[in-house]
Amino acid sequence: MARIIVVTSGKGGVGKTTTSAAIAMGLAKKGHKTAVIDFDVGLRNLDLIMGCERRVVYDFVNVINGEATLNQALIRDKNCNQLYILPASQTRDKDALSQEGVGKILDELKKEFKYIVCDSPAGIEKGAHLAMYYADDAFIVTNPEVSSVRDSDRMLGILSSKSRRAELNEEPIKEYLLLSRYSPDRVKLGEMLSVEDVQDILSLHLLGVIPESKSVLNASNSGMPVILDEKSDAGQAYADIVDRYLGEDRPHRFIDEDKGFFRKLFGGK
Amino acid sequence: MSLLDYFKISKESTASLAKERLQILVAHERSSRNQPSYLPQMQKELLEVIRKYINVGQDAISVSFEQDEDQETLELNIVLPDLQPKNT
């Protein structure tokens, strides 16, 4: 049975697209046929993060309008043949996506794919609403920072009242917390909300902590999802997250500062 | 943690300030999220009716809505001034 995962946050710039790219790649590399869809109509960016921006011919809106078939629009990933990308359109028409059209495409994808990852745009307008409407699972990407936590809570309210599952009185969407851009050092200094603080406020199941990491920018610079950088802390954090989501037992990492004796002594990075 | 950090801890940390602010805000926003949409209008109309008979201020009335597993409670609280009938 296919699962639809929405990656959402409310606030912009917290790492939704980075996360969507990483977990979609992670699931595909585990052998699950996965599609990742960019719902940010007008501001397409997932293609850049996945490194397939020059291979976009047709997009999400073309498929909805019947100008292309789903198979024509899906781009097979260059690093993993189990992964396909459906890019967003660059149209400025805000109403290009319809609930019905999105539902039809998702139904079609569900026949072929095990996981469908929906990369939500920021905000709580139509694109964000459609990205989460059909979801089975929600990954709430949150930064340990007041506005992000507040917006995540707003998003939780919307997930529990405005989704298809809520409207049909079905089992609610499973919600998971992904705490990103985390700096254990700053938490220790009392300068940043801790994992426990954020969990206390949002009461969400923690799927993983992604540390603030240089590797994320390096990955997006080169159009390679950060999970492929297996040596990097963020890459490993996302790999853990995928494993945990698939039901494997992985102890949480990157929550405490992890400095060697000499680095501690000299205060190096 | 370096030696310097020990001096910083005595002051209240900004993180705990953030947590406190968020807890209050989120609790408030959640309670208003769950309340029925007719509540503000009802509160306004109730106040109008009451003011026909008793001279109370705008904020003399508070309406709260709570939802448990199996029951919903609507609590209406009106603070009466020292009794002095308007004009009979």
Side-chain angles (χ1 to χ4, degrees):
Chain A
M1 188 60 192
R3 298 282 300 174
I4 300 177
I5 303 168
V6 61
V7 178
T8 189
S9 68
K11 190 177 182 299
V14 297
K16 282 184 296 298
T17 302
T18 300
T19 298
S20 299
I23 59 156
M25 177 63 78
L27 289 165
K29 284 193 65 168
K30 285 256 163 179
H32 304 291
K33 200 169 177 193
T34 302
V36 57
I37 309 176
D38 189 349
F39 273 79
D40 204 346
V41 171
L43 292 170
R44 164 163 90 209
N45 272 324
L46 180 68
D47 56 338
L48 264 181
I49 303 299
M50 301 290 304
C52 64
E53 69 277 9
R54 301 213 310 203
R55 292 159 64 207
V56 176
V57 183
Y58 296 110
D59 59 53
F60 200 178
V61 173
N62 291 140
V63 182
I64 287 189
N65 294 340
E67 295 150 9
T69 65
L70 196 49
N71 281 328
Q72 284 176 308
L74 285 170
I75 302 168
R76 180 188 279 207
D77 186 81
K78 60 187 176 201
N79 294 300
C80 180
N81 61 12
Q82 294 287 78
L83 179 60
Y84 289 79
I85 299 122
L86 183 56
S89 160
Q90 289 284 49
T91 176
R92 283 158 64 185
D93 175 12
K94 273 206 300 187
D95 296 320
L97 294 183
S98 65
Q99 183 159 304
E100 209 192 336
V102 171
K104 249 177 70 188
I105 291 183
L106 289 175
D107 277 342
E108 213 176 313
L109 287 169
K110 276 166 104 170
K111 290 181 205 149
E112 249 196 86
F113 291 90
K114 179 80 209 304
Y115 293 104
I116 300 156
V117 178
C118 302
D119 181 22
S120 173
I124 50 175
E125 293 199 20
K126 195 167 182 187
H129 176 260
L130 288 175
M132 66 87 195
Y133 185 75
Y134 294 98
D136 301 304
D137 301 310
F139 288 7
I140 319 286
V141 185
T142 307
N143 292 167
E145 174 271 323
V146 285
S147 51
S148 174
V149 174
R150 178 200 213 171
D151 289 358
S152 293
D153 191 66
R154 283 292 310 270
M155 220 45 236
L156 290 175
I158 293 169
L159 286 169
S160 64
S161 61
K162 301 267 167 36
S163 62
R164 189 189 64 90
R165 281 174 175 267
E167 285 178 3
L168 299 180
N169 252 325
E170 288 181 13
E171 195 188 326
I173 295 175
K174 281 209 179 77
E175 299 156 343
Y176 302 93
L177 173 65
L178 280 73
L179 196 57
S180 60
R181 309 200 69 165
Y182 196 71
S183 298
D185 299 11
R186 302 200 67 186
V187 171
K188 197 150 192 182
L189 290 174
E191 294 175 354
M192 182 182 271
L193 290 164
S194 68
V195 188
E196 294 80 23
D197 291 341
V198 178
Q199 275 187 285
D200 278 354
I201 295 160
L202 295 178
S203 339
L204 269 182
H205 176 75
L206 178 71
L207 199 56
V209 171
I210 304 109
E212 172 80 59
S213 168
K214 289 180 177 172
S215 57
V216 172
L217 185 57
N218 281 326
S220 77
N221 285 343
S222 47
M224 299 269 281
V226 69
I227 198 168
L228 294 174
D229 185 355
E230 288 166 12
K231 289 198 185 98
S232 70
D233 46 2
Q236 291 173 15
Y238 278 117
D240 282 0
I241 283 169
V242 169
D243 290 348
R244 278 187 210 110
Y245 174 70
L246 293 174
E248 290 169 46
D249 194 21
R250 292 275 178 281
H252 283 285
R253 297 192 275 170
F254 312 110
I255 291 178
D256 298 311
E257 39 176 4
D258 181 27
K259 281 188 176 177
F261 173 72
F262 284 104
R263 285 162 125 201
K264 230 186 259 177
L265 199 64
F266 298 112
K269 209 220 89 77
Chain B
M1 186 124 113
S2 66
L3 195 65
L4 259 178
D5 302 335
Y6 286 100
F7 295 103
K8 291 185 181 167
I9 282 173
S10 51
K11 220 171 42 179
E12 193 190 9
S13 73
T14 56
S16 57
L17 207 60
K19 184 181 184 182
E20 211 180 294
R21 290 173 63 212
L22 274 170
Q23 274 173 325
I24 295 166
L25 184 69
V26 163
H28 178 76
E29 287 181 344
R30 277 185 193 163
S31 66
S32 58
R33 181 192 303 160
N34 292 329
Q35 71 183 20
S37 52
Y38 58 74
L39 217 57
Q41 181 63 23
M42 192 182 75
Q43 179 166 350
K44 202 173 140 241
E45 285 178 29
L46 278 172
L47 189 63
E48 276 164 23
V49 173
I50 291 163
R51 289 175 97 185
K52 268 193 201 168
Y53 303 95
I54 311 167
N55 192 14
V56 293
Q58 287 282 355
D59 48 2
I61 180 170
S62 68
V63 178
S64 72
F65 183 84
E66 269 168 40
Q67 217 167 6
D68 286 337
E69 289 281 298
D70 45 21
Q71 61 175 0
E72 295 168 350
T73 320
L74 182 65
E75 191 185 284
L76 187 63
N77 199 353
I78 306 160
V79 183
L80 295 178
D82 296 335
L83 263 188
Q84 37 175 260
K86 250 184 168 176
N87 39 13
T88 36

